[in-house]
Amino acid sequence: MKIAIINGPNLNLLGKREPGIYGSTSFEDFLSVLQQRYPTVTLHYFQSNIEGELVTEIQRVGFDFDGIILNPAAYTHTSVAIGDAIAAIKTPVIEVHISNVHAREEFRKLSHVSAKAAGSIIGLGLKGYELALDYLLNK
Ligand code: DQA
């Protein structure tokens, strides 16, 4: 089972970035715990601050991986290109947001990803990535 986790801009700063909203755990620390918890799954992690790189990675893994867990961060709310990339591929995508975007600023309520994703997990912190993984493994 090959699962890609793709994170968008500023998520490389998790642990340091607005900890009141995003928590104080770095994604690398979280990922190593997740990998230990699911030793039989190949987790492939990619993070970029650049929109086109995220599109390229979605295309790259989008035909032979078993699932994609995607947090496009701020590009969720602006990127038609990421939405189109999800529509173009075969691999199911689960959209994850650490914070509850519906309880924040108005502009965060729009997602170019939700309608193209198999489902979305919003506002449950880093636990959302684990729930998405659990879904992909058991669906
Ligand atoms: C986020 C929510 C986005 O609105 C924000 O731009 C992010 C992170 C989240 O995981 O809560 O960078 O996707």
Side-chain angles (χ1 to χ4, degrees), residues 80-95:
V80 173
I82 290 177
D84 281 355
I86 296 166
I89 61 172
K90 295 263 181 291
T91 300
V93 172
I94 311 297
E95 175 188 17

Side-chain angles (χ1 to χ4, degrees), residues 108-126:
R108 292 188 204 274
K109 292 183 181 164
L110 170 67
S111 170
H112 289 282
V113 169
S114 298
K116 313 280 169 53
S120 305
I121 300 173
I122 293 171
L124 303 183
L126 290 173

Side-chain angles (χ1 to χ4, degrees), residues 9 11 17 22 71 73-74 77 97-99 101 104 108:
L11 293 173
R17 170 196 187 198
Y22 299 111
N71 183 347
H77 318 300
H97 295 288
I98 296 164
S99 65
V101 287
R104 298 180 64 192
R108 292 188 204 274

Side-chain angles (χ1 to χ4, degrees), residues 4-138:
I5 300 179
I6 302 177
N7 273 344
N10 300 306
L11 293 173
N12 54 314
L13 295 181
L14 277 182
K16 296 183 196 144
R17 170 196 187 198
E18 298 180 271
I21 297 175
Y22 299 111
S24 51
T25 306
S26 75
F27 202 78
E28 287 69 23
D29 286 352
F30 169 73
L31 195 59
S32 76
V33 171
L34 196 63
Q35 184 66 83
Q36 281 165 35
R37 223 169 266 167
Y38 296 86
T40 58
V41 180
T42 304
L43 288 177
H44 183 276
Y45 179 53
F46 179 84
Q47 189 277 332
S48 177
N49 295 322
I50 299 168
E51 183 178 12
E53 288 185 358
L54 294 165
V55 171
T56 299
E57 182 67 4
I58 291 165
Q59 292 180 4
R60 194 184 73 75
V61 299
F63 293 89
D64 66 337
F65 274 55
D66 301 296
I68 298 173
I69 300 168
L70 174 66
N71 183 347
Y75 288 137
T76 307
H77 318 300
T78 61
S79 180
V80 173
I82 290 177
D84 281 355
I86 296 166
I89 61 172
K90 295 263 181 291
T91 300
V93 172
I94 311 297
E95 175 188 17
V96 170
H97 295 288
I98 296 164
S99 65
N100 182 355
V101 287
H102 297 291
R104 298 180 64 192
E105 300 93 328
E106 209 48 40
F107 69 85
R108 292 188 204 274
K109 292 183 181 164
L110 170 67
S111 170
H112 289 282
V113 169
S114 298
K116 313 280 169 53
S120 305
I121 300 173
I122 293 171
L124 303 183
L126 290 173
K127 183 84 185 161
Y129 291 88
E130 187 175 352
L131 294 169
L133 182 59
D134 192 58
Y135 169 78
L136 289 167
L137 299 182
N138 294 299

